[in-house]
Amino acid sequence: MIKLKKILVLLLMIIFNIVIFSACWDNKDLTEKAFVTAVGVDKTSEGKIQLTLQIVKPTIMKAGEQGAAQEEAFWVFTTTGDTIFEAAKNQMITVNRKPFYNHADLMVIGEEFARNGIMEALDFWERNHEPRLGADILVAKGTTAEEILKAKSDLEKIPSIHIKSILENNKALAKIKKVTIIDVLKQLIQPGLSPAIGAIKVAKKEKVQKIENMKIDSTAVFKGDKLIGYLNTTQTRGLLFIQDEVKNAVYNVDNPLDESKKVAIEISNSNGKIDVKIVDGKLALLIEVKAIGNIADQQGNGDLTTKEIFKKLSKQAEKAIKRDIQDVVNIAQKKYKSDIFGFGEVVYKKHLNYWKQVKDDWSDIFSNAPVEIKVEVKIRGTGIIGKPSKVR
């Protein structure tokens, strides 16, 4: 019995040591690391891969907190290589500390690189233990990732934090497609679904580029892992409704009592879903959106709180949402022939035998399938007042 107890104690000690010491196997002093906050990937004209790192300067950040820093709190450095891994290693030719990717919250892919396929960039992220798969990913529309990451910010010490804050605005403004690296990886390996990734562009060229001169107001459309085009703002909103990602949106509709005036309808809750049906071997695609809205702003006078007016406002909001959805469906089917909604995924899960028959021609099958769109909006409130106040 005593012998058995000794064996158990020994086993517990071994397990304890494995847990404690294995977690520190590559531990380095924090002062020996360069903290990367954002990563950019581009393709050079020579066909090389260019890696851009935005690295924080901890000493400058600390001095800034004490009000003494005049220097930029970040540093941007670019290297090239035949692979991303080689380009990453080449950073150490100049950077005197080992780049530490655990705090990298943002990846920007240059347009040229994206058009040739993004999987090579994601493979490095997926294969290595340091980078965060939960980091946001963006496409640099019409420019390079390097130009985006070199831009300064008047609002944040670290420019990538400014970009991240804009992405968070998607909760209050259904015009931005926010997606993470792990989301994109899942979409790329899932049959019948192509990724759609938010895009950042330079809206105003300046000698010293700033984030304030950039916009995230479109969405990059992929076929497989290759960029093939973009959605505009309203098409992006239609996509977000279909994918059940709308937290808040605003539609300006005509005032039923005075069509020269507008009423702002705030969509405060939305539920979107897709489905498919196969009848006599023919596929049909279904989109259904149910939303709840409130009157957020009223131009003109009159009482909009009656049941009849609510119905008219609901119909107008339904029509506006349906128009956005129809617009994005049309461009995905007719121009890009890319299933960014995931109808193929639904077919794969619900009708596997049918999927096996059509998977090789899914692009054509999806592009030619009829789509039924149902939108239902209920207006529930008018804010904290009913009728608008009158000026006397």
Side-chain angles (χ1 to χ4, degrees):
M1 190 65 184
I2 294 173
K3 189 177 180 181
L4 181 61
K5 282 184 178 179
K6 285 182 177 178
I7 292 172
L8 284 172
V9 170
L10 182 61
L11 280 172
L12 286 172
M13 289 177 67
I14 291 171
I15 293 170
F16 177 80
N17 285 331
I18 288 172
V19 170
I20 294 298
F21 295 112
S22 63
C24 305
W25 66 273
D26 69 340
N27 189 34
K28 287 182 180 294
D29 192 309
L30 291 180
T31 58
E32 297 175 16
K33 295 183 177 181
F35 290 95
V36 179
T37 57
V39 175
V41 185
D42 289 302
K43 180 81 79 177
T44 69
S45 55
E46 294 80 25
K48 296 272 188 181
I49 292 175
Q50 177 176 286
L51 185 70
T52 301
L53 301 185
Q54 192 175 95
I55 299 171
V56 71
K57 299 176 183 173
T59 52
I60 304 301
M61 288 287 287
K62 189 172 181 180
E65 289 171 3
Q66 296 167 353
Q70 299 293 323
E71 194 179 329
E72 296 288 353
F74 68 99
W75 188 45
V76 176
F77 190 67
T78 297
T79 49
T80 59
D82 288 329
T83 62
I84 290 184
F85 187 72
E86 184 186 29
K89 286 291 184 186
N90 285 342
Q91 292 275 338
M92 298 182 73
I93 294 172
T94 299
V95 180
N96 63 342
R97 301 175 185 182
K98 182 182 183 296
F100 186 53
Y101 293 89
N102 229 353
H103 289 72
D105 268 348
L106 178 67
M107 172 187 270
V108 181
I109 306 285
E111 180 172 303
E112 185 64 26
F113 187 96
R115 288 195 181 278
N116 287 282
I118 60 173
M119 198 60 207
E120 287 179 5
L122 301 186
D123 181 83
F124 171 77
W125 234 242
E126 189 180 17
R127 194 176 298 279
N128 290 279
H129 69 280
E130 269 189 15
R132 295 179 55 192
L133 292 176
D136 288 313
I137 181 170
L138 283 170
V139 171
K141 183 180 179 182
T143 186
T144 62
E146 181 187 10
E147 183 173 17
I148 301 296
L149 294 188
K150 277 187 172 177
K152 303 177 190 302
S153 171
D154 288 336
L155 301 177
E156 298 284 352
K157 291 176 182 173
I158 306 299
S160 62
I161 294 177
H162 188 161
I163 296 174
K164 290 276 294 180
S165 300
I166 296 173
L167 284 172
E168 291 299 325
N169 289 341
N170 75 320
K171 294 173 184 171
L173 187 73
K175 296 179 179 178
I176 298 171
K177 179 67 178 171
K178 182 179 183 297
V179 64
T180 63
I181 293 172
I182 188 67
D183 293 333
V184 176
L185 279 168
K186 286 178 182 175
Q187 291 165 4
L188 286 171
I189 63 174
Q190 177 64 44
L193 175 61
S194 289
I197 301 175
I200 184 169
K201 69 178 182 184
V202 177
K204 185 180 176 185
K205 281 277 185 184
E206 296 285 351
K207 193 173 181 181
V208 178
Q209 205 58 263
K210 293 189 176 180
I211 302 297
E212 289 84 343
N213 295 326
M214 298 183 178
K215 285 185 179 178
I216 304 175
D217 63 354
S218 58
T219 299
V221 176
F222 287 74
K223 197 168 187 176
D225 73 332
K226 292 182 172 60
L227 171 69
I228 55 171
Y230 294 93
L231 305 178
N232 63 26
T233 306
T234 55
Q235 290 160 352
T236 297
R237 186 163 56 184
L239 173 66
L240 296 176
F241 268 111
I242 295 170
Q243 295 185 326
D244 194 25
E245 293 179 18
V246 173
K247 306 296 181 189
N248 196 288
V250 176
Y251 282 90
N252 294 320
V253 300
D254 292 339
N255 184 333
L257 300 178
D258 181 355
E259 291 188 356
S260 67
K261 303 292 183 181
K262 294 291 182 185
V263 176
I265 303 296
E266 181 185 33
I267 302 298
S268 56
N269 192 1
S270 172
N271 180 262
K273 63 181 181 181
I274 61 172
D275 204 351
V276 300
K277 62 180 178 183
I278 299 169
V279 179
D280 297 330
K282 293 184 178 178
L283 176 73
L285 312 178
L286 311 172
I287 297 171
E288 185 176 359
V289 172
K290 291 184 178 180
I292 294 172
N294 299 292
I295 296 174
D297 190 7
Q298 176 183 344
Q299 293 179 349
N301 297 317
D303 183 5
L304 301 181
T305 61
T306 66
K307 194 174 178 180
E308 286 304 312
I309 295 293
F310 270 25
K311 274 188 180 177
K312 289 182 179 179
L313 290 171
S314 295
K315 291 297 176 192
Q316 287 196 67
E318 287 170 3
K319 192 176 176 183
I321 294 172
K322 192 171 181 177
R323 186 170 56 238
D324 287 348
I325 292 174
Q326 189 67 65
D327 196 12
V328 71
V329 168
N330 285 345
I331 197 169
Q333 282 191 310
K334 306 307 175 191
K335 184 176 180 180
Y336 298 135
K337 295 189 174 185
S338 176
D339 182 4
I340 53 176
F341 314 108
F343 286 110
E345 184 183 8
V346 177
V347 174
Y348 171 77
K349 289 178 178 175
K350 296 180 71 172
H351 306 279
L352 184 57
N353 288 335
Y354 178 80
W355 173 253
K356 288 177 180 175
Q357 295 172 31
V358 302
K359 63 179 183 180
D360 293 334
D361 302 314
W362 178 244
S363 179
D364 290 332
I365 299 289
F366 160 74
S367 300
N368 292 304
V371 183
E372 183 181 349
I373 302 170
K374 292 181 181 177
V375 178
E376 180 183 312
V377 176
K378 290 184 178 177
I379 305 295
R380 290 264 175 95
T382 60
I384 60 173
I385 62 169
K387 300 176 187 176
S389 302
K390 284 187 178 179
V391 178
R392 298 187 184 279

